[in-house]
Amino acid sequence: MTENPFLNLTYEPALEALGDDYYDVVVAASFPQHILRFRNDDLLPRLNLEPDNVSDFDFIEAFGQFQQRSPLMALRYHGYQFGDYNVALGDGRGFLYGQVRGTDKVLYDFGTKGSGTTPYSRNGDGRLTLKGGVREILASEALHGLGVNTSRCFSLVETGESLWRGDEPSPTRSSVMVRFSKSHIRFGTFERLHYLGRADLMSPLLDHVIEVYYAHLLGIQDPQERYGQFYAELVQRVAQLAAQWMSVGFCHAVLNTDNMSITGESFDYGPYAFMDEFNPRFTAAYFDYMGRYSYGNQPRVCEWNLRMLQKPLALIMAAEDLETGLARYRDHYYAAYKQKMLTKLGFGELLPELGDELLRLTLELLEKTQVSYHDFFTGLTGQFSPQWCEDPEHILQTTVENSDDEAATLLKAWRFHYHSCLTTLSSEEITQIGQCLRQHNPTTVLLRPEIEAIWEPIVAEDNWQPFYDLVAKLQDPFGEG
Ligand SMILES: Nc1ncnc2c1ncn2[C@@H]1O[C@H](COP(=O)(O)OP(=O)(O)OP(=O)(O)O)[C@@H](O)[C@H]1O
Ligand SMILES: [Mg+2]
């Protein structure tokens, strides 16, 4: 009997119980070295564990050496990548290590990245670069801090190998990451069954998804109605996720259907970026030549991905129910995005009449002037004063003023409307605006230079302190900075 609390958790064989049509049993790589670089103590209470009672070695044994767990399951999936259907996918450098029920009753997956080759590795080495692991930690902690529905990183272990990559100075260091997520079942998990013509495997998978991740729908007796409600809710969750990314200025960069979770949770942070200047055409991945996954396209490609998911679901569902579900996507998206943006503007739910116009003018101003998205909101937060009710001219002093005539005209119109919005509020409501701005506009933003700034000391002198400091700030993004 081990003392390691991770090895003593009660693992639930939820996915395993579906049978081996959905995964391959694999073996983890054995690595020359194990150095724990990150442990997410924030997540331990959810497993009913106290950080003080869990040693670094416990993390290494469980999540670097993968001791005493079986089966390790490489999940099978396909997916649309940049619009083209790809059958040569599946967990090529990861596996599902185990599933555990949190203290919140949610079933969580421990999924690996960089844990060795599998039948799906093609010519890949099954590995994750250390920088890739660091970047995924930063993205998921940042998004979580900003209220985005995201997977988290549980641990990162440096593994002492040299890797060769086209997009990093090589040789580069290696790592294995463990992700903590609400399911690794992807749209592509369903798409594979459609491609293989395995309608017989569709109902067990969908029933499983509903039972575990949409359990509140189990009371619906008629399966067709239940499936219809499931899809309608997935559509809503994905629309909300897209709205969350857009409002925080995040570009995921690789929204292939194998990177879309069936629970509507965001995950897989490769070449992502938080956008600096507001630009709907901003792309984060150097290989996204057509801008398919640009910042501004994200809501549309998510809708397209949901449409592609209709093909497998249509094997067991009525086409009409699928259409009804998807028809609500745009309304869900706009409602969620508007609510998030009006909150960033300080108003929250206070503007039933004038909110649409304020949002429209804000986006027009941001787009035409290409100001820094985050500086705009930080400026608004820092400068806000109840005095603005008296005089629109004083609202938000920005560098926009010094640019061209069109920008100055837009700023004037925006100020005028912001002022009109303020005049509809009671004095008590106006005092809440400053607080709302501070609570929803982060003082720390994970722009690319911040990532390079913490990476340099790691490369130069193995100094991880700036990385830990940045993680702490991202976990508390509305603090003093
Ligand atoms: N170094 C590698 N070795 C083997 N397979 C790889 C490697 N890198 C990526 N793959 C595979 O290529 C496909 C697309 O990779 P992608 O980067 O989207 O996923 P991933 O990052 O490996 O995993 P996840 O989606 O869980 O974050 C997946 O099937 C993945 O397993
Ligand atoms: Mg992926």
Side-chain angles (χ1 to χ4, degrees):
M1 186 69 184
T2 169
E3 299 281 304
N4 186 327
F6 295 130
L7 303 180
N8 284 327
L9 291 172
T10 304
Y11 289 94
E12 292 186 21
L15 209 132
E16 188 189 343
L18 275 179
D20 58 9
D21 286 311
Y22 304 89
Y23 61 83
D24 291 77
V25 177
V26 295
V27 178
S30 47
F31 297 111
Q33 238 184 353
H34 302 90
I35 309 168
L36 185 67
R37 294 302 189 187
F38 176 72
R39 46 181 280 172
N40 202 336
D41 284 353
D42 198 33
L43 294 170
L44 294 180
R46 219 164 315 161
L47 301 172
N48 212 8
L49 297 174
E50 293 274 344
D52 284 350
N53 297 337
V54 181
S55 70
D56 289 359
F57 190 65
D58 294 331
F59 274 91
I60 286 173
E61 265 189 341
F63 303 125
Q65 297 173 336
F66 305 104
Q67 291 186 4
Q68 299 178 35
R69 279 286 308 144
S70 71
L72 304 174
M73 296 173 281
L75 305 184
R76 299 175 179 178
Y77 57 84
H78 292 174
Y80 285 93
Q81 299 197 307
F82 288 88
D84 293 328
Y85 195 72
N86 189 351
V87 297
L89 291 176
D91 280 340
R93 54 171 167 173
F95 49 73
L96 179 61
Y97 171 89
Q99 299 180 285
V100 193
R101 187 107 11 215
T103 48
D104 53 6
K105 305 275 183 267
V106 172
L107 186 68
Y108 290 101
D109 283 11
F110 287 113
T112 65
K113 192 157 171 171
S115 51
T117 53
T118 76
Y120 306 101
S121 303
R122 292 168 284 166
N123 298 320
D125 56 8
R127 303 309 201 255
L128 173 67
T129 66
L130 184 62
K131 192 175 187 187
V134 162
R135 281 178 49 87
E136 177 143 347
I137 294 168
L138 293 173
S140 44
E141 291 311 292
L143 291 173
H144 173 72
L146 295 169
V148 175
N149 179 16
T150 179
S151 67
R152 308 279 296 277
C153 289
F154 197 78
S155 61
L156 186 72
V157 174
E158 184 168 0
T159 47
E161 296 179 322
S162 293
L163 305 180
W164 295 86
R165 291 289 186 274
D167 55 359
E168 279 185 41
S170 297
T172 188
R173 292 153 73 172
S174 64
S175 68
V176 62
M177 186 194 87
V178 171
R179 182 188 286 143
F180 190 72
S181 80
K182 298 191 201 86
S183 178
H184 280 84
I185 298 176
R186 306 158 194 249
F187 287 18
T189 313
F190 286 86
E191 285 161 348
R192 170 179 164 270
L193 300 180
H194 177 256
Y195 179 88
L196 297 177
R198 295 297 305 268
D200 59 312
L201 296 179
M202 279 293 298
S203 294
L205 183 63
L206 186 53
D207 289 342
H208 165 81
V209 165
I210 294 174
E211 188 184 324
V212 183
Y213 307 106
Y214 295 79
H216 53 283
L217 303 180
L218 287 172
I220 304 173
Q221 293 305 316
D222 174 31
Q224 282 304 312
E225 195 188 331
R226 197 181 327 123
Y227 291 169
Q229 287 293 326
F230 150 77
Y231 184 69
E233 186 169 330
L234 173 65
V235 166
Q236 182 170 15
R237 291 189 195 185
V238 171
Q240 282 168 344
L241 178 62
Q244 291 167 359
W245 287 330
M246 295 301 284
S247 68
V248 303
F250 181 75
C251 182
H252 179 286
V254 196
L255 290 176
N256 295 329
T257 57
D258 51 296
N259 287 336
M260 299 285 295
S261 164
I262 202 69
T263 67
E265 186 179 65
S266 173
F267 77 111
D268 191 357
Y269 303 115
Y272 72 87
F274 281 85
M275 164 186 72
D276 189 357
E277 285 96 38
F278 184 84
N279 176 12
R281 286 173 302 286
F282 171 78
T283 52
Y286 70 90
F287 46 84
D288 187 1
Y289 308 109
M290 308 296 281
R292 180 181 177 90
Y293 298 138
S294 64
Y295 166 75
N297 250 356
Q298 296 182 114
R300 272 188 294 275
V301 294
C302 285
E303 186 183 16
W304 189 86
N305 290 342
L306 285 161
R307 179 166 294 288
M308 291 305 107
L309 183 65
Q310 292 187 346
K311 286 196 217 173
L313 292 176
L315 293 173
I316 51 170
M317 285 179 65
E320 201 188 330
D321 289 344
L322 291 165
E323 275 316 307
T324 308
L326 194 57
R328 306 266 345 258
Y329 177 83
R330 292 178 191 200
D331 287 348
H332 285 313
Y333 172 74
Y334 182 70
Y337 181 63
K338 178 175 144 187
Q339 192 268 331
K340 294 254 154 225
M341 294 302 286
L342 292 181
T343 303
K344 278 179 82 66
L345 286 161
F347 292 99
E349 310 278 341
L350 296 174
L351 291 179
E353 305 285 321
L354 301 177
D356 296 284
E357 182 64 0
L358 181 61
L359 177 56
R360 194 189 66 73
L361 286 170
T362 304
L363 293 176
E364 195 178 4
L365 179 66
L366 289 170
E367 186 168 354
K368 288 276 162 50
T369 57
Q370 300 227 332
V371 292
S372 156
Y373 185 64
H374 306 286
D375 287 354
F376 177 83
F377 288 101
T378 318
L380 190 64
T381 306
Q383 293 177 37
F384 176 78
S385 156
Q387 308 273 315
W388 286 3
C389 299
E390 278 139 46
D391 184 3
E393 296 292 322
H394 286 121
I395 296 178
L396 192 61
Q397 307 305 306
T398 95
T399 51
V400 170
E401 258 137 330
N402 305 325
S403 49
D404 59 31
D405 284 356
E406 192 190 6
T409 310
L410 283 171
L411 180 62
K412 206 168 166 192
W414 180 85
R415 275 190 185 135
F416 188 78
H417 192 71
Y418 196 91
H419 179 258
S420 305
C421 293
L422 290 176
T423 58
T424 64
L425 305 185
S426 68
S427 54
E428 198 182 318
E429 287 169 334
I430 285 178
T431 56
Q432 289 167 17
I433 288 198
Q435 198 184 0
C436 181
L437 287 165
R438 282 191 300 281
Q439 283 173 347
H440 296 93
N441 291 301
T443 49
T444 304
V445 179
L446 187 64
L447 298 177
R448 279 176 169 151
E450 321 303 322
I451 301 181
E452 295 311 314
I454 62 91
W455 182 245
E456 274 164 31
I458 293 174
V459 172
E461 50 192 2
D462 221 12
N463 176 4
W464 287 76
Q465 199 51 49
F467 164 70
Y468 297 131
D469 293 345
L470 180 58
V471 169
K473 280 200 215 163
L474 295 172
Q475 288 174 337
D476 179 25
F478 308 112
E480 294 299 306

